[in-house]
């Protein structure tokens, strides 16, 4: 009943910039934390960045100082601005949200992912 849709992925040169978006829709009472994860071929999914309802952020060491996570609570949307991209950032990026569908039902929802390729 709740879904997350990512957008903004694509091909970018090393050192370039991309901005990812993720919008939540459906039966939503409220959203707590939101985050971005990524999975490269042959590797397990890893946390990239998270942001709480109050705006506190956390980043993986590999992206700290290069990526910025933000959110628009009125639009149920989370963003990831990726700067100084490296080939090792190549992966499918997934959006995540912890939310209430009703005042007493808490669920975790994942998007289908958007592909980011960093290459010449």
């Amino acid at each position: 009943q709740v879904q997350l849709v990512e957008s903004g992925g694509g091909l970018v040169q090393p050192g370039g910039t991309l901005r990812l978006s993720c919008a939540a829709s459906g039966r939503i009472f409220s959203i707590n934390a939101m985050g971005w994860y990524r999975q490269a071929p042959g590797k397990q999914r890893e946390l990239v960045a998270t942001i709480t309802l109050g705006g506190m952020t956390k980043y993986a060491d590999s992206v700290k100082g290069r990526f910025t996570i933000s959110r628009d609570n009125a639009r149920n949307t989370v963003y990831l601005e990726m700067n100084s991209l490296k080939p090792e950032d190549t992966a499918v990026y997934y959006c995540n949200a912890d939310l209430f569908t009703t005042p007493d039902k808490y669920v975790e929802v994942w998007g289908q992912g958007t592909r980011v390729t960093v290459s010449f």
Side-chain angles (χ1 to χ4, degrees):
Q1 194 166 22
V2 178
Q3 65 180 47
L4 305 178
V5 179
E6 302 98 335
S7 63
L11 175 64
V12 64
Q13 295 184 31
T17 297
L18 281 178
R19 183 177 173 87
L20 307 182
S21 299
C22 172
S25 62
R27 183 177 175 83
I28 301 172
F29 181 78
S30 64
I31 301 178
N32 187 21
M34 304 186 79
W36 289 95
Y37 295 71
R38 67 186 182 186
Q39 187 167 21
K43 294 181 169 53
Q44 68 181 40
R45 188 174 300 186
E46 65 175 349
L47 185 147
V48 177
T50 61
I51 183 168
T52 68
L53 179 62
M56 296 187 64
T57 59
K58 293 184 65 177
Y59 298 92
D61 289 340
S62 60
V63 308
K64 193 172 298 182
R66 299 189 298 121
F67 291 11
T68 302
I69 188 171
S70 61
R71 63 191 289 173
D72 184 337
N73 294 329
R75 294 180 170 84
N76 290 333
T77 300
V78 63
Y79 306 94
L80 184 69
E81 182 180 344
M82 304 184 292
N83 300 310
S84 302
L85 282 161
K86 305 174 181 179
E88 48 263 48
D89 295 318
T90 296
V92 176
Y93 284 71
Y94 297 90
C95 177
N96 169 271
D98 298 319
L99 56 85
F100 287 91
T101 59
T102 70
D104 61 354
K105 187 171 183 179
Y106 189 72
V107 299
E108 183 179 63
V109 184
W110 291 87
Q112 290 299 306
T114 184
R115 186 176 300 276
V116 172
T117 302
V118 184
S119 176
F120 289 106

